[in-house]
Amino acid sequence: MLEPVLLAIVGAAMIAAAVYDITTLTIPNWISAALIVLFPLVAFNADLSWAEAGIHLGVGFAALVVGVLLFAGGVIGGGDAKLFAAVSLYIGAASFSLYIIAVALAGGALALTVVALRWAALSGLTARISWLQHLTQKSAVIPYGVAIAAGGLFVIPATQLFGA
């Protein structure tokens, strides 16, 4: 009974992260923190065993370690690393490869969109849309939180936590 509400809250947090990232090129820490804090409630509601919850925590921690290494190497932003790890908590081991594929495909589509926006900016088509102007600068990063959220929203409904 509580499961649809929890799924909606988790989804809303991911959407909020994507909106923040596309409009400000940052992901507030409170969004990742909210996802982490919600996880025990979701796990309890889904009747995960301690072992299953431990696997989810291990996946989230491993994602955080990889994210920190990628951040240290300048490959991704810190907010992206934290969001990826927080969403990975909900994915677990069984659906993690699908999540990676979904994030990669969404990231590719996002990169193509940003390239198209930058081309449109060169021709003056985006000059009237102020919140897009920061994305059209050559030095601007790609807001990969959008791809992380999209991948999570695609995969989470089919995970063990929310039932197929």
Side-chain angles (χ1 to χ4, degrees), residues 63-93:
L64 181 61
V65 168
V66 171
V68 166
L69 292 173
L70 291 172
F71 171 70
V75 177
I76 64 172
D80 298 330
K82 291 178 273 189
L83 180 64
F84 186 76
V87 174
S88 294
L89 276 174
Y90 295 88
I91 302 298

Side-chain angles (χ1 to χ4, degrees), residues 10-31:
V10 168
M14 285 189 265
I15 291 168
V19 169
Y20 267 100
D21 203 17
I22 203 163
T23 57
T24 67
L25 297 178
T26 60
I27 301 170
N29 288 334
W30 67 264
I31 294 175

